[in-house]
Amino acid sequence: MTVAVLGECVADAFTDPDHARHGELALRVIPGGGPANAAVALARLGTGARYLGRVSTDPFGRLFTERLTASGVDLSWVVTAAEPSTLAVATLDGEGRASYSFHAEGTADWQWTAEELAAVDLGGVAAVHTGSLALVREPGAARIEEFLARARPSATISMDPNIRPLLVDPGVYRAAMPRWAALADIVKVSEEDLAHLGSLDGFCAGLHAAGVRLVLVTRGADGVTASLDGERMDVAAPVVEVADTVGAGDAFTAGLLHRLDSLGRLGGRLSTLGAAELRDALAFAVRVAALTCTVAGANPPWAAALTSAVTTGANNET
């Protein structure tokens, strides 16, 4: 069985003052984008991951393809696109958290057609994960919702809205949430996302009422809060030396889906998932996120790295 990941690749450009000449701005470009990061993390952990994205033929697109291929992601569903890649210029704060300014108008990631997604054969797909800007950027966003509705009868649906308030009004996410809740089995948001969506109690109650079984709120150094049909649990984050927190949330989601897949819980509405198994999956997921924070950029760990202890040090971001 495969986990399909639907959404964007983004070129994350970080300022690099050490290589800038006088009067110039030097940038270090790292392949990123929340869905692509999640696909990479899943494949590195050993879960069959198939990426469903529109990838440009420009130099950034070639960078994305090289990273995905090297990580073991299946690219047989990738659409080769004539439009340019999405670019995000990132700035890190003192705690390694990134803020982004996006160059995303007319780029490849959002130009989905109904025909492109209708060509996908969902046989053998246990789960579909999607999120980030792909869920809200038209014209592709509506096509993605149609695809999720088609996938839902046989696949678990996971979503991470990953709100970008500087690019998309948070009201767009709030308006879409009832539609997404009718499709999703798992919804993961960060604490920063939740600030735009309401209180923890109200947010969880609304999603559960719409049919979402598992709601997750990642809290950075404080770990994660999960609500399984209203049963709440908290799982602490390991303590690590942080390089930056880029891609940690995506790694968390991948770790969770990997563990649920290994438990045989993907492929439906999570109806047999219990609290003990969920706690185990969350502990694994926060560890994957923590290890991602120990290296620069969205560089999630390979499975072999999970066999060693997490290094003690500063706090991490999930």
Side-chain angles (χ1 to χ4, degrees), residues 148-174:
L148 295 177
R150 180 163 71 89
R152 192 172 190 274
S154 59
T156 304
I157 306 299
S158 167
M159 287 189 181
D160 176 4
N162 197 11
I163 295 173
R164 301 295 189 187
L166 296 180
L167 188 61
V168 179
D169 187 329
V172 173
Y173 294 85
R174 290 192 292 271

Side-chain angles (χ1 to χ4, degrees), residues 144-289:
I144 288 175
E145 290 185 21
E146 293 168 0
F147 177 83
L148 295 177
R150 180 163 71 89
R152 192 172 190 274
S154 59
T156 304
I157 306 299
S158 167
M159 287 189 181
D160 176 4
N162 197 11
I163 295 173
R164 301 295 189 187
L166 296 180
L167 188 61
V168 179
D169 187 329
V172 173
Y173 294 85
R174 290 192 292 271
M177 194 60 68
R179 300 196 309 273
W180 297 341
L183 295 168
D185 303 293
I186 303 169
V187 174
K188 175 262 179 192
V189 298
S190 68
E191 203 165 31
E192 293 78 11
D193 294 334
L194 187 63
H196 300 289
L197 298 171
S199 69
L200 175 62
D201 289 344
F203 182 66
C204 290
L207 291 183
H208 290 320
V212 179
R213 182 132 204 259
L214 177 58
V215 182
L216 305 159
V217 180
T218 54
R219 299 186 177 280
D222 295 324
V224 61
T225 296
S227 180
L228 181 65
D229 288 337
E231 182 180 349
R232 202 79 56 85
M233 69 177 68
D234 295 307
V235 174
V239 178
V240 296
E241 289 285 354
V242 173
D244 65 44
T245 66
V246 177
D250 309 316
F252 169 87
T253 299
L256 176 73
L257 292 174
H258 170 80
R259 198 66 153 191
L260 293 179
D261 181 50
S262 69
L263 292 168
R265 296 296 174 254
L266 298 182
R269 308 282 73 84
L270 302 178
S271 57
T272 61
L273 177 65
E277 287 183 332
L278 175 59
R279 184 174 291 277
D280 169 78
L282 293 173
F284 181 83
V286 295
R287 190 168 182 223
V288 174

Side-chain angles (χ1 to χ4, degrees), residues 7-75:
E8 69 265 26
C9 286
V10 175
D12 290 339
F14 294 83
T15 58
D16 190 1
D18 292 338
H19 292 89
R21 293 180 293 186
H22 180 70
E24 294 182 350
L25 174 66
L27 296 174
R28 177 173 53 94
V29 178
I30 297 174
N37 292 340
V40 165
L42 278 164
R44 291 185 181 183
L45 291 171
T47 290
R50 185 171 289 182
Y51 178 61
L52 184 52
R54 302 183 87 258
V55 178
S56 176
T57 56
D58 66 16
F60 296 133
R62 292 192 288 275
L63 183 67
F64 303 150
T65 299
E66 289 170 2
R67 179 208 192 199
L68 290 160
T69 300
S71 296
V73 178
D74 184 339
L75 302 185

